[in-house]
Structures are given as C-alpha cells and as structure tokens.
Amino acid sequence: MIKKTFKVALATKNGAYFLIPDEQRKNWKLSEPFLREENVNKVVGDGRGNLFAASFDEGIFKSTDGGKTWKPSSKGLIVRKVWEIAADPHHKGTVYAGTQYGHLFKTTNYGEKWEEVTSLHEAPNRMAWGIDWGHRTTGLALHTIKFDVNEPEMIYLVAAGNGTYRSDDSGKTWKSLKSGLNSSCTIESAKLISSAPSDAPPDEKLARHLEELHSDTHKIVISPKDGRIYQQNHCGTFFSANHGDLWRDVSIDSKNRFGFPIDVIENSSTHVFTIPVPDVENDCKDHNVCIRGQLSIYSTSDDGKNWNKHTNGLPNYVHTNILRDSLVHDHSKETGLYFGTTTGEVFFSADLGNNWRNIASGLGRIQGVNIIGS
C-alpha cells in the first residue's frame, strides 16, 4: 500500500495547484488554485515545513501551513522575475533563488531576507553573458540550481545560453563546465540548420548565435547515488561521470536531440528519462525545434548506450511541449513519474514510463511540476 504522504505541485502561468493522490495513486484530487494572479514557475518545499513559490511577477512567496496561505518573501530580492528556487539539503534555513538576467540570491533564514551571491559576477565568462540574449527565446535567466547530496559544499548552476557552472566551496568561486560539449555541437553543425543556401557566404553572427544555443544547457540532474550528472541541452543529451568536468554525448539518436527536461531515478538500477520536443517529420530547420507529433518519453539504464521509447497512453499527435521544470518523480516504493505540458495536461506512470495515463487537464501552460512531501 502506498501511503498518502505527498502531493504534486503544478506551477502555471495563472497560479498553481496541488494534485493529491489516494493511497494507491489511482485517483487524484485537484486543489483549488492558489497564488491565482501570479505567473508561477515552481513550487518547492524545504523539508522543514516551509513552501516557496517562484513567481515571474512578484518574486518569491512563502507558506508555512502547507500552501493554504501565502505571504511575500522577497526582502532584498532586487530582481523580482524568479525562475528557480532550491533549498540547500545540507544547510538548515538556506535557500537559493535564480532570476532573470543571471542573478543568484541566497537566504540563510528561511526567506526572511535575501542577499545576492556576488561571487557569480566573477565566474568565468560572466561578462560575456550580456544583459539579455533573447532572440525570440526566454533570454538570459539563471534557471537551474542543483546540489550533490554527497558533497555538502558543491553547488551547480545553469544560466540560459551560458551552460553549467559548479562551485566546490559553497558559492565562493565558480567553474564553467563545457568540456566535451562542442565535439558534438560545433560551428559546422550550427551552420547545417541555418536556412541559408549551402553556397551562401557564412553569416558569422547567426553562426555564433547558433553555436551558443547548441551548448545551451536546458536542464541538469544529479544522481543521488554517486553524483553522476546528466544534461539535456539544445544539441542533445550528455553524461558526466566526474562532476561535469568532462561531458560525453549520449543522445538518443540524430533525430531526437533537442529537448528540455531530464530526470534520474535510482532504485535497483539507474533510470534516466528525457522528453525530446515532438517532431512529426524529423526535418526541423529552425533551431532544431518542431513542436508537433507523437508525444514520447525515452529512458536509458546504461548511461545512454541504449534508449527505450515509451508512448503507451500518450497522445500520438500533439502540438505541445514539456518545459525544463516539468518532469519529476516521487519517492514511493514503486516510483511514480510525472510530467506536465504547455497545453495543460499532467501524465503519470507507475512503471518507469512503460505505461502512462492522464491525471489532469485544462490547467493552461504548466511551467513546473514538483513533489511536495516524501
């Protein structure tokens, strides 16, 4: 029997919801929306009874009663468009926030006051980040903060368009982690997807832009077992066995490289999941993006040597996407896997992705899915 000790938080462009399962995860109850007027990207718990919500409108909100009531928690937060919020599992009361324009903030008192982590200003190539490299994208944002549960001083960050960074000293100094990425994401591969004729003179500005995009990390996930890292970026799926110092291309195939979310489940073996952007014709020419076709999730249990495609229970033709924070798993004995779509559906699998069912719909653009509780 599965005890009802968790709920699934759904962050949307118009507020957030909780999905609450019965003891067998057969039936799900959708809560009333909360933070109804907010553009919410993520809702997280700190493991000590506090919930935090990252908003694109008004910064950060905090709840101390399980999400019944919320209060602003943005004192000291000079940038109020918040993409990411993550509780440090090693340091009580410490929570980090990543914002638009690539800023990192930290609180050591459960969100009572935030201070900028100014050491990030000295990170390698930081001045090259610019202000906002937009080009019809989300632009410059610090959208991912991760911790290694086995390394108390180790922190990982991802800034849109600028790849993955790691600190080994709790944020005092930072290292850029791009080694091995450009062997698969070269300037030549960038030119291949340009719409310019093959005999046209190279557009250096476009080529440089595409090269940056192709080393743009969309999401990383860290194995709680041994610290191995998996990355989904604009060019493909990558794996590192040494904390990101060197990456190896383990992409599904040449046609299913572009995607946003990635997750890892550790039970009797390692299971990595990623969801490429659907492409019905496999012939995208513009930034490797065609958001239409069979909705599929892929898994590997051997660090990318072999991939399994899972479609059972998923729609065979969609015009939707799964964003970087919208794939997650619970910690039940029989692990449940969840993802939300930009067209407002939530899908659930109780058997490591082999079979799926829709457990919610009509919620609008889902920007984040997270587990609250054990």
Side-chain angles (χ1 to χ4, degrees):
M1 180 176 292
I2 300 169
K3 294 182 180 180
K4 188 178 67 174
T5 58
F6 72 92
K7 49 192 174 185
V8 182
L10 309 174
T12 81
K13 199 170 183 179
N14 296 290
Y17 302 81
F18 291 127
L19 263 177
I20 304 167
D22 62 18
E23 292 184 348
Q24 298 297 324
R25 295 178 305 186
K26 298 295 185 184
N27 299 297
W28 297 79
K29 179 182 178 180
L30 185 67
S31 75
E32 292 296 316
F34 55 93
L35 297 173
R36 190 189 296 261
E37 303 300 321
E38 295 297 324
N39 185 351
V40 185
N41 192 60
K42 199 169 189 180
V43 178
V44 304
D46 66 357
R48 295 179 172 88
N50 302 297
L51 300 182
F52 295 89
S55 165
F56 290 150
D57 298 320
E58 294 295 334
I60 295 170
F61 293 83
K62 177 182 175 182
S63 174
T64 58
D65 57 8
K68 296 177 183 177
T69 60
W70 295 83
K71 294 182 179 180
S73 177
S74 298
K75 184 178 180 181
L77 200 69
I78 59 174
V79 181
R80 296 295 177 92
K81 189 170 185 177
V82 181
W83 283 84
E84 168 75 316
I85 189 162
D88 187 334
H90 302 290
H91 300 95
K92 184 178 180 181
T94 299
V95 184
Y96 289 84
T99 74
Q100 191 77 357
Y101 310 126
H103 292 277
L104 176 66
F105 293 86
K106 175 182 178 181
T107 177
T108 57
N109 52 14
Y110 300 101
E112 293 301 315
K113 184 179 180 181
W114 298 84
E115 295 183 353
E116 185 170 6
V117 181
T118 56
S119 62
L120 191 60
H121 296 174
E122 306 302 321
N125 303 315
R126 177 61 183 90
M127 297 308 294
W129 292 9
I131 298 175
D132 199 340
W133 59 276
H135 194 77
R136 297 177 295 168
T137 70
T138 55
L140 174 57
L142 203 163
H143 59 65
T144 297
I145 303 169
K146 294 287 185 180
F147 306 93
D148 189 324
V149 298
N150 303 303
E151 300 287 346
E153 307 307 314
M154 193 173 285
I155 308 170
Y156 294 85
L157 306 177
V158 178
N162 300 282
T164 305
Y165 285 78
R166 188 187 78 222
S167 173
D168 298 327
D169 51 17
S170 295
K172 295 182 179 67
T173 59
W174 300 91
K175 178 181 181 180
S176 178
L177 307 176
K178 286 189 175 183
S179 181
L181 294 179
N182 286 338
S183 61
S184 297
C185 302
T186 64
I187 193 68
E188 291 304 317
S189 65
K191 291 176 183 176
L192 287 177
I193 65 168
S194 170
S195 59
S198 58
D199 58 348
D203 182 332
E204 293 183 3
K205 183 176 181 180
L206 175 61
R208 184 168 59 252
H209 168 68
L210 292 178
E211 183 180 31
E212 290 171 355
L213 278 178
H214 277 52
S215 62
D216 173 20
T217 305
H218 290 165
K219 204 67 183 178
I220 62 170
V221 65
I222 303 168
S223 168
K225 181 179 179 181
D226 53 18
R228 290 176 298 171
I229 310 177
Y230 303 87
Q231 174 183 156
Q232 179 63 52
N233 66 29
H234 198 100
C235 180
T237 307
F238 291 78
F239 163 69
S240 174
N242 53 10
H243 303 288
D245 287 334
L246 179 65
W247 297 94
R248 175 166 57 87
D249 189 344
V250 295
S251 299
I252 298 164
D253 54 38
S254 62
K255 300 297 185 180
N256 288 282
R257 300 184 68 93
F258 181 94
F260 288 95
I262 193 165
D263 195 19
V264 59
I265 294 174
E266 294 282 8
N267 46 33
S268 57
S269 60
T270 302
H271 305 273
V272 179
F273 299 86
T274 189
I275 308 176
V277 170
D279 175 13
V280 70
E281 297 176 355
N282 285 324
D283 65 347
C284 295
K285 302 299 182 184
D286 183 14
H287 290 192
N288 284 355
V289 180
C290 284
I291 308 177
R292 62 183 187 274
Q294 169 70 56
L295 184 56
S296 308
I297 185 167
Y298 288 78
S299 68
T300 178
S301 297
D302 54 14
D303 294 333
K305 294 183 180 68
N306 299 282
W307 288 89
N308 298 309
K309 182 179 181 180
H310 307 286
T311 60
N312 193 28
L314 299 177
N316 60 13
Y317 189 89
V318 294
H319 186 68
T320 192
N321 197 6
I322 293 82
L323 302 181
R324 56 174 54 89
D325 286 311
S326 295
L327 172 65
V328 71
H329 67 275
D330 65 33
H331 297 281
S332 302
K333 184 177 180 180
E334 297 175 356
T335 308
L337 191 60
Y338 309 79
F339 69 83
T341 73
T342 54
T343 44
E345 300 88 17
V346 181
F347 292 91
F348 163 67
S349 172
D351 56 6
L352 297 176
N354 290 313
N355 296 280
W356 292 88
R357 60 189 179 96
N358 187 318
I359 59 172
S361 59
L363 301 179
R365 176 187 166 99
I366 295 176
Q367 301 178 147
V369 181
N370 202 28
I371 303 298
I372 303 298
S374 58

